[in-house]
Amino acid sequence: MIDPAAPSRGDTPWIGDDPRFALLRARYRRFVFPVTAAFLLWFLAYVLCSAYARGFMAAEVVGHINVALVFGLLQFASTFGIALAYGRFAARRLDPLAEELRRTAAARAGDEHEPTGSLA
């Protein structure tokens, strides 16, 4: 736990130099950037089709359900799918490394600061 009475060290400036932190950022970026780009392209395709391909979007798939409705519902499904995939990815590839960095930061903070007692 962070001690608010402890002198500031600039929010652990050493962590930016730790190779584990660089690996954590790289893993995060390798997942988030491509998935974000893919989702934005998918959303842009939906918007552009809604604006310029009205005949296609109005085509009925089953009964009175048209392509536009299916695409709109797929937007929700893809959003939830991405959230689920990110949660699983983070639990497997990011969280263990982040926890290791947290333990290192806590150990370093304990080595560098004397206990100041209770805050109560």
Side-chain angles (χ1 to χ4, degrees):
M1 181 172 257
I2 297 173
D3 180 6
S8 173
R9 295 182 304 121
D11 294 326
T12 61
W14 60 270
I15 206 162
D17 298 329
D18 193 308
R20 294 171 299 177
F21 183 70
L23 177 61
L24 181 66
R25 287 178 47 158
R27 285 180 182 174
Y28 173 79
R29 288 177 177 168
R30 274 194 304 266
F31 181 88
V32 170
F33 289 166
V35 171
T36 300
F39 181 79
L40 289 175
L41 286 173
W42 160 234
F43 181 72
L44 182 62
Y46 172 65
V47 171
L48 291 175
C49 284
S50 294
Y52 298 109
R54 292 181 182 264
F56 169 70
M57 296 296 269
E60 291 184 349
V61 179
V62 176
H64 294 291
I65 298 174
N66 62 17
V67 173
L69 180 60
V70 172
F71 275 21
L73 292 174
L74 285 174
Q75 289 290 318
F76 286 103
S78 61
T79 300
F80 290 118
I82 289 169
L84 179 65
Y86 177 76
R88 295 180 77 188
F89 171 78
R92 194 175 68 251
R93 304 279 292 153
L94 300 179
D95 292 349
L97 190 54
E99 183 57 36
E100 187 179 321
L101 284 167
R102 271 190 221 100
R103 282 194 302 270
T104 301
R108 286 182 68 140
D111 290 344
E112 295 178 11
H113 300 296
E114 292 294 320
T116 58
S118 173
L119 296 175

